[in-house]
Structures are given as C-alpha cells and as structure tokens.
Amino acid sequence: MNLNNSLRRWVVVGAIALMTGLSASGPAQAAEVEVLHWWTSGGEARSVEELKRLLASQGVTWRDFAVAGGGGDAAMNALKQRVDAGHPPTAAQIKGPAIQDWGRKGVLANLDDVAAAGNWDIKLPRTVAQQMKVDGHWAAVPVNVHRVNWLWINKDLLTKVGGRVPDNWDSFFALADRFKAAGIVPLAHGGQPWQDLTTFEIVGLGVGGADFYRQAFVTMDPAAWRGPTMSRVIDTFRRLKPYTDKEAPGRDWNKATEMVIKGRAGMQFMGDWAKGEFLAAGKKPGSDFVCTAAPGTWNAYIYNIDSFAMFRLSDPQAVQGQKALASTIMSSQFQEIFNLNKGSIPAAVGSDMTHFDHCGQESSAYFVAASLSNTLVPSFAHKMAQSDNHVAAVQAIVARLWDDDSYAPARAQADLVAAASQH
Ligand code: GAL
C-alpha cells in the first residue's frame, strides 16, 4: 500500500484506538469519504467495489453518491447543486478542463503533500499531471485512461456471416450489410445525445484523421466545421443509422453492449468501458468478442481520462479520509485491479501490463505510439477537450442530426459552424 508516513501513523493510531475502545471524538472515529460518480453499470460497479474494498482495509468508510447516467451529465448537475448549497462531497468524478473550472471557483483541495509523498510528478505523464493541477497545485487524481475509438464485434456472429474485421469504412459497411442480410442488427446503438456524439467523434477521427480532429474538436476552428471533410463525416455518420434497430432511442450504452454480448447485434462503437461489460458477463476477448480500432483509426487514439477532483473540507478527520482516498487511487495496486475491471489502462507511466488482455495491452502500446506520432487526441464527447457548455451546443446538433431524418445535412453543418464560432 502506498501510504505516506503521516497517513500510516494515522491508520496505526486509529487501529490502536479502536482496539482500546477510545472515545469517538479521537482518531478512533472512522473516517468517511463521500464520492460522487456515475459508475452504475455492471463493469463500472465492479470497478468501484475495488476502491471501496481498498479503503475499507484502511478503516475508511465509503458513502456512495452515485448518480446514474452514462457520460455523467446527470451527475454533474447533482454536483453543482451540492456545491452551491455549500456542502460538497469529499471527491467527485470530474474530468479534463472542468477540473480547472471548479478550481477557479476556489472549492478544490490542495493535495500537494500527498502528491509529494507519492511522487506523482514522476508517476504520471506530464499532460495528465497538468490536467490534475490548478495553478500548479494538485487538486485531482486520475484513475485510468480509456480509449474511445473502439469497435466491438460479437465473434460468433462474425464467423456466422463469414465476415472479416473491418479496418476502413468500406469494409465496415460491407460487414454491416452481411449482418443485415443475415437478419442480425448490424450496429447496437443507444440513442442518447452523449452516445450520438461519441459515435460522431469516432467517425470524425476515422474519416478526417487526427489533424482534422484536432482542428475541429480541440481548437474548434470554424473552417474545419465548414469544409468538405466535415461534410463527409456528417454523411458517414448519417449512413450508420439504418444499421441500428428501432428500439435504439433512449437506450443506455450498457444495454447496447448487452445486445452484442448476447448475440442480438453484431457490433458497437464505444469506448473501452464497454469491455468492462463483456468481462463482467464472463466473455473473453479474442474468443467471444473482438476489440478493434474503429475504421480508419488504428494509428490514432482518442483518450478519455477519468479522475476524481477533491473538494476543500474543514473537518480534519474528513481531510484524512480524503488523503487516504487520493493516495489509494494513485497506488499501483488500485490502478491495476480497478482497470482490469473497468476496461481501461492505468494512468501511471510504466505500469505493469502483464495481467491485462490483448485489448488493454494494445491500448497501452497505442497510447504511447500515438503520443509520439502526434495522433493522440482528447475526447470531445467526454469533455476532455472542451468544457461542458461548448460540448453541449455541438451535442444538441449532433443528436438532432441522428434523430431527425428531415434535418438536412447542409443545414446541420451550418448550425455546427455557428456553434463552433461561438467558442
Ligand atoms: C464516460 C466515463 C467512463 C464511462 C462512461 C459511461 O464519460 O469516462 O468511465 O463510465 O462515461 O458511463
């Protein structure tokens, strides 16, 4: 366990106090952490369990503040209400630029002492470390790195239709046609705005490449939204819809994954939290399902890093619990066991990947390779590239583009240009 000295002392003092039955006003009173997250699906819940278990072994109790809803929109609304009411949780699942937004409000804790004791500056890639700091001070800790641009395929169905794993859009649509001809739903989709947008950014990378993706989704350059490449992205995105089923609107992402797991659909575009669902259902990569980079994206990597930002607390005991939470998250033991369940890879550099399956090992290798070849890009849909409000405007247009067949592509593109111009 990666506990710093003062924390170790605290745990020992706490244990002795418990054994000798000291009064509840001293350190014997167990610290409690209240953590806001949106990890309620099968694979996600299994992953969170590991964190609870590791904290319990240190005498820290977990108060769950789970707000269901993939992508976290509902969770962020709940968080705003709590912080506005002056009663923040110990920690909340907050990512990307939102960490800075919360930091600027002056509500986040300073974790510099825990970070120094745990050598976080050396443990984490620089780009990741920078996102966890506000004005140079540690305020958040990363739990993982998810790759977003994956295509998941049911292996039995692939064999049944005599298809091959697609690596470009032509072979993808050829395979989708084979599924369709065999009476199988080719593409499992959950028609919720964040899932529409996740698919859209994957198509954006696959059709336009990493430089185009960066220009559109990271710098929000209206020229990229206006140009012919974006027209092709919109057309390809629209072409996917007839391969989905009529029940897709409103469906949760894990229900879509379940369709692929149970052989009711051939494929799904989704980040590798989907792998957590396959694993929770006892499925094995390679034999039961295929993980492959989405068409046209094998050498690029859309990353989505989950992290917990810590809120400033006044009660010393609550602060101790918070420090235990932060140092536990950064321990190698947690980073491995959590990510083996979650489908992601550890955030720490040089993590031991021997226990990970080939999807995880591939993700880890491509994270490094894409970083070196400048094809590593942050997820727009998962708010790693822009703050909520910029994402929300684009997300609404993309969701309409998916839902409303009478919304002309040219009109949608003009609306997207206008949204990007407000940036
Ligand atoms: C993402 C999050 C993932 C996964 C997914 C679906 O935004 O980063 O960890 O939980 O939502 O809930």
Side-chain angles (χ1 to χ4, degrees), residues 202-227:
I202 292 174
V203 174
L205 179 70
V207 170
D211 288 343
F212 165 79
Y213 180 102
R214 205 174 278 117
Q215 196 189 352
F217 296 105
V218 183
T219 35
M220 297 286 275
D221 181 349
W225 290 90
R226 193 179 293 119

Side-chain angles (χ1 to χ4, degrees), residues 220 222 225-226 393-394 397 411-423:
M220 297 286 275
W225 290 90
R226 193 179 293 119
V394 171
I397 298 165
R411 166 90 196 284
Q413 188 164 1
D415 290 344
L416 287 167
V417 173
S421 309
Q422 314 242 311
H423 179 251

Side-chain angles (χ1 to χ4, degrees), residues 38-39 44 69-72 93 95 144 146 194 253 273 304 306 342 382:
W38 62 87
W39 288 332
E44 291 173 338
Q93 195 184 340
K95 319 187 283 193
N144 63 5
H146 273 299
W194 74 269
W253 68 273
W273 45 94
N304 173 23
D306 287 309
K342 187 72 166 67
H382 293 273

Side-chain angles (χ1 to χ4, degrees), residues 61-103:
T61 337
W62 176 278
R63 177 132 55 97
D64 211 30
F65 185 2
V67 181
D73 290 339
M76 286 305 102
N77 290 335
L79 178 65
K80 279 180 196 122
Q81 286 175 14
R82 278 286 299 272
V83 179
D84 287 349
H87 184 40
T90 313
Q93 195 184 340
I94 298 177
K95 319 187 283 193
I99 296 172
Q100 310 301 318
D101 296 344
W102 282 104

Side-chain angles (χ1 to χ4, degrees), residues 33-54:
V33 291
E34 187 191 18
V35 184
L36 171 78
H37 62 94
W38 62 87
W39 288 332
T40 54
S41 79
E44 291 173 338
R46 263 171 34 131
S47 315
V48 171
E49 250 347 282
E50 297 297 342
L51 185 52
K52 288 186 205 172
R53 197 175 53 77
L54 285 176

Side-chain angles (χ1 to χ4, degrees), residues 74-358:
M76 286 305 102
N77 290 335
L79 178 65
K80 279 180 196 122
Q81 286 175 14
R82 278 286 299 272
V83 179
D84 287 349
H87 184 40
T90 313
Q93 195 184 340
I94 298 177
K95 319 187 283 193
I99 296 172
Q100 310 301 318
D101 296 344
W102 282 104
R104 273 194 291 273
K105 293 184 181 151
V107 291
L108 297 187
N110 181 325
L111 303 171
D112 286 353
D113 54 346
V114 197
N119 278 327
W120 295 359
D121 268 311
I122 293 166
K123 267 187 143 175
L124 292 174
R126 231 164 74 87
T127 39
V128 179
Q130 272 163 358
Q131 282 194 329
M132 303 299 136
K133 293 180 188 177
V134 176
D135 294 332
H137 299 289
W138 290 91
V141 279
V143 296
N144 63 5
V145 178
H146 273 299
R147 188 183 197 186
V148 178
N149 52 307
W150 286 107
L151 177 68
W152 307 92
I153 311 174
N154 178 299
K155 186 77 187 287
D156 281 347
L157 295 182
L158 181 69
T159 311
K160 187 173 165 194
V161 300
R164 65 178 183 85
V165 177
D167 56 4
N168 58 41
W169 290 102
D170 287 343
S171 53
F172 169 83
F173 285 111
L175 176 59
D177 284 332
R178 276 178 187 258
F179 282 132
K180 201 168 198 168
I184 298 161
V185 175
L187 193 61
H189 183 69
Q192 296 173 348
W194 74 269
Q195 294 185 67
D196 302 336
L197 189 61
T198 300
T199 305
F200 188 78
E201 74 176 18
I202 292 174
V203 174
L205 179 70
V207 170
D211 288 343
F212 165 79
Y213 180 102
R214 205 174 278 117
Q215 196 189 352
F217 296 105
V218 183
T219 35
M220 297 286 275
D221 181 349
W225 290 90
R226 193 179 293 119
T229 307
M230 187 57 85
S231 309
R232 289 211 315 280
V233 172
I234 290 173
D235 290 346
T236 308
F237 177 68
R238 263 279 173 89
R239 232 182 118 188
L240 295 173
K241 192 178 169 187
Y243 294 98
T244 63
D245 66 324
K246 295 265 175 296
E247 311 300 318
R251 176 187 285 139
D252 288 333
W253 68 273
N254 51 316
K255 294 286 172 207
T257 309
E258 191 181 291
M259 292 171 69
V260 182
I261 292 173
K262 299 219 163 127
R264 297 201 304 268
M267 309 180 273
Q268 183 189 16
F269 287 114
M270 189 49 68
D272 42 22
W273 45 94
K275 193 183 80 181
E277 298 304 298
F278 282 98
L279 300 182
K283 301 294 180 191
K284 301 263 174 298
S287 46
D288 298 322
F289 67 95
V290 174
C291 58
T292 187
T297 73
W298 68 271
N299 65 343
Y301 194 119
I302 303 178
Y303 68 87
N304 173 23
I305 297 173
D306 287 309
S307 49
F308 283 102
M310 306 284 159
F311 283 86
R312 201 163 48 175
L313 307 170
S314 46
D315 173 29
Q317 196 153 37
V319 171
Q320 290 290 7
Q322 185 176 60
K323 290 183 177 185
L325 174 65
S327 76
T328 301
I329 288 175
M330 283 298 293
S331 70
S332 314
Q333 188 190 7
F334 168 77
Q335 294 264 329
E336 172 169 295
I337 190 78
F338 176 86
N339 287 304
L340 282 170
N341 286 293
K342 187 72 166 67
S344 35
I345 57 171
V349 269
S351 295
D352 180 5
M353 294 302 292
T354 45
H355 297 125
F356 285 78
D357 57 37
H358 73 89

